[in-house]
């Protein structure tokens, strides 16, 4: 579990692969440097260069002199922003700009052609047929789409907004609370400008993160959350090509294996109605526990120079945000980490069961994806940076083993029945002792619901209760 608050990159833990891991972490933006308050310095695509520590340079640094008019217009829009805690228009614009620059390996985004769209649709259709034998949950993909990186950005921004806004809201609220009440009216324009700049800086950094992530993800569920529209299985052909380039596996098998993972996620989120709100609710619970160092914020307000907006970013560098070390905060983080591990572990086990008899490369692709998560790729780093949580690969492997053991002990139906109620799912303690959970007597909430429903549907109980009362009334009358 990470102790890192919003925007401070990955926690300073020892990587699993020693010095190589440290180098990789530094190169991918996981670390926290003096010029990197949000944890995105050194990201692929040149985002660690000029502008990584300056939102204005990030937006305007590469413009030609002839574009200065547009640059100043954008600056005016930034300062006049009066929306929520994050300037999402700016986030979208920065993400699209980041995508247009291409990835570090020189791969550029491209529109998806008819042949690629047809190949994705066919892969998802076949994947759903194979999954019918591996899970009792029916298909959750009403449609299959092939996205470019830019289309992925457009489609997933609403989910990012839902994830990030609760955390950023804490910052915006703190900006209005640092001054005494009698001074807030006088300082209204100043506070409004600070909030506009804060929203712009959050928007810039989130836009950069989402743009980098768009160059790496292969579908809409890579981080274990449903980022795309419900019921729409999505794959990114250009990123699938890059993912499978050096694996020695045919393009068709790579596409089909990734389609299995996407289709399995879609089944889970479509037919476990409480799961999405459970995950996003844990993020909101975590956000409510974040506190802001008001002493530092008061200093910023007192010394804020409207002509030097970078002061706000300097304040972020100095550690303005602190995690609230309360039982509620710890519980929210533990709940989210465990739930994500269970989602990813279930998908891993189900996909392996479906692919193993049919794809010769199933074992190799499974291990490649596991290592991809364990090495802290952009997907995991972005998630850790935006909400302050790192999904530990150890929990993912433990959850996968537990789901596989449940399949052996109870069958596919018995395993999947655990998703019928959140209280039936394994806990973090159960991941430490999977055998104990597998052989433990489980509560059957469906029977309890049936009993309660039957009791509510018996009108004769009310009649029996009313009978003696009516008789007494009659006797009193007589």
């Amino acid at each position: 579990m990470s102790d890192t608050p919003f925007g401070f990159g990955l926690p300073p833990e020892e990587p699993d692969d020693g010095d190589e891991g440290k180098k990789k972490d530094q190169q991918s933006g996981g670390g926290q440097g003096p010029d990197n308050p949000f944890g995105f310095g050194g990201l692929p695509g040149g985002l660690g260069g000029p502008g990584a520590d300056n939102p204005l340079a990030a937006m305007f640094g590469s413009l030609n002199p002839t574009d200065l008019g547009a640059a100043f217009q954008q600056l005016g829009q930034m300062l006049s922003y009066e929306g929520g805690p994050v300037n999402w228009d700016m986030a979208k614009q920065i993400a699209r700009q980041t995508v247009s620059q291409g990835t570090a390996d020189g791969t550029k985004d491209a529109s998806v052609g008819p042949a690629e769209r047809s190949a994705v649709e066919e892969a998802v259709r076949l994947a759903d047929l194979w999954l019918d034998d591996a899970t009792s949950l029916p298909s959750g993909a009403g449609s299959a789409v092939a996205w470019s990186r830019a289309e992925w950005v457009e489609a997933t921004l609403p989910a990012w907004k839902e994830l990030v806004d609760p955390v950023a809201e804490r910052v915006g609220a703190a900006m209005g609370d640092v001054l005494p009440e009698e001074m807030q009216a006088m300082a209204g324009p100043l506070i409004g400008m600070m909030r506009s700049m804060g929203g712009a800086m959050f928007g810039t950094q989130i836009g950069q993160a989402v743009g980098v992530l768009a160059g790496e993800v292969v579908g809409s569920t890579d981080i274990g959350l449903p980022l795309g529209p419900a019921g729409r299985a999505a794959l990114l052909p250009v990123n699938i090509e890059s993912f499978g380039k050096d694996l020695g596996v045919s393009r068709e098998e790579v596409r089909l294996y990734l389609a299995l993972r996407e289709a399995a996620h879609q089944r889970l989120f479509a037919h476990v109605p409480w799961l999405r709100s459970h995950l996003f609710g844990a993020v909101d619970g975590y956000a409510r526990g974040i506190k802001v160092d008001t002493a530092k914020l008061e200093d910023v307000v007192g010394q804020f120079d409207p002509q030097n907006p970078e002061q706000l970013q300097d304040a972020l560098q100095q550690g303005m945000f602190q995690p609230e070390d309360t039982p509620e905060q710890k519980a929210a983080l533990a709940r989210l980490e465990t739930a994500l591990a269970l989602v990813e572990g279930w998908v891993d086990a189900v996909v392996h069961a479906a692919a193993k008899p049919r794809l010769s490369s199933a074992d190799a692709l499974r291990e490649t994806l596991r290592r991809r998560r364990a090495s802290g790729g952009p997907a995991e780093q972005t998630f850790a940076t935006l909400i302050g949580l790192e999904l530990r690969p150890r929990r993912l492997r433990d959850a996968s083993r537990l789901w596989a053991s449940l399949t052996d002990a109870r069958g596919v139906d018995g395993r999947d029945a655990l998703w019928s109620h959140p209280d039936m799912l394994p806990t973090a303690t159960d991941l430490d002792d999977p055998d104990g959970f597998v052989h433990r007597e489980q509560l059957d909430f469906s029977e309890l619901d049936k009993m309660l429903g039957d009791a509510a549907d018996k009108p004769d109980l009310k009649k029996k209760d009313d009978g003696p009362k009516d008789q007494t009334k009659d006797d009193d009358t007589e």
Side-chain angles (χ1 to χ4, degrees), residues 56-284:
L56 302 181
M59 287 182 288
F60 308 136
S62 61
L63 293 179
N64 296 322
T66 56
D67 296 326
L68 284 177
F72 282 115
Q73 182 180 7
Q74 186 175 7
L75 177 60
Q77 292 172 351
M78 177 180 70
L79 293 174
S80 63
Y81 173 71
E82 297 180 352
V86 177
N87 188 331
W88 286 103
D89 289 337
M90 181 166 293
K92 177 180 175 180
Q93 183 176 352
I94 296 296
R96 294 293 297 263
Q97 290 174 358
T98 303
V99 164
S100 68
Q101 294 171 5
T103 53
D105 62 0
T107 305
K108 295 288 187 178
D109 192 21
S111 299
V112 180
E116 291 173 318
R117 295 187 187 278
S118 177
V120 166
E121 292 171 359
E122 177 61 22
V124 172
R125 185 194 66 79
L126 185 56
D128 257 335
L129 289 176
W130 290 4
L131 287 172
D132 286 339
D133 296 331
T135 174
S136 62
L137 299 180
S139 173
S143 62
V145 293
W147 284 338
S148 66
R149 293 167 179 169
E151 288 173 324
W152 183 90
V153 169
E154 296 278 353
T156 62
L157 273 179
W160 288 116
K161 186 177 188 298
E162 189 174 351
L163 279 169
V164 175
D165 268 353
V167 185
E169 182 66 40
R170 296 288 297 115
V171 183
M175 287 183 174
D177 295 339
V178 294
L179 291 178
E181 187 174 348
E182 60 274 11
M183 295 180 60
Q184 289 186 14
M186 298 175 58
L190 175 62
I191 294 176
M193 181 178 294
M194 289 181 63
R195 284 179 172 169
S196 295
M197 292 300 302
M201 283 186 290
F202 275 120
T204 298
Q205 300 297 336
I206 292 166
Q208 289 178 346
V210 172
V212 171
L213 190 56
E216 179 75 11
V217 294
V218 295
S220 69
T221 54
D222 279 31
I223 65 171
L225 290 171
L227 296 179
R232 187 176 300 174
L235 295 176
L236 282 72
V238 64
N239 290 350
I240 292 176
E241 182 75 20
S242 297
F243 171 79
K245 184 168 53 178
D246 299 321
L247 297 181
V249 179
S250 71
R251 181 188 307 176
E252 290 72 21
E253 285 204 16
V254 172
R255 184 194 299 118
L256 186 50
Y257 192 87
L258 296 176
L260 281 166
R261 289 184 53 83
E262 178 74 9
H265 276 104
Q266 294 294 335
R267 288 185 181 224
L268 193 59
F269 286 112
H271 300 290
V272 182
W274 53 265
L275 183 56
R276 189 183 190 280
S277 60
H278 180 75
L279 292 169
F280 281 70
V283 176
D284 185 68

Side-chain angles (χ1 to χ4, degrees), residues 313-326:
Q313 187 137 341
D314 292 339
L316 298 178
Q317 290 177 233
Q318 298 168 11
M320 185 182 293
F321 311 114
Q322 300 294 330
E324 186 77 58
D325 189 18
T326 64

Side-chain angles (χ1 to χ4, degrees), residues 342-354:
L342 291 174
V343 168
E344 289 294 282
W346 183 87
V347 168
D348 181 76
V350 166
V351 167
H352 185 69

Side-chain angles (χ1 to χ4, degrees), residues 1 285-290 323-334:
M1 187 183 305
Y286 167 77
R288 286 197 300 269
I290 291 176
E324 186 77 58
D325 189 18
T326 64
E328 293 79 12
Q329 181 79 335
K330 291 179 180 178
L333 288 172

Side-chain angles (χ1 to χ4, degrees), residues 29-44:
Q32 176 187 347
D35 295 326
N36 181 19
F38 288 86
F40 291 114
L43 286 171

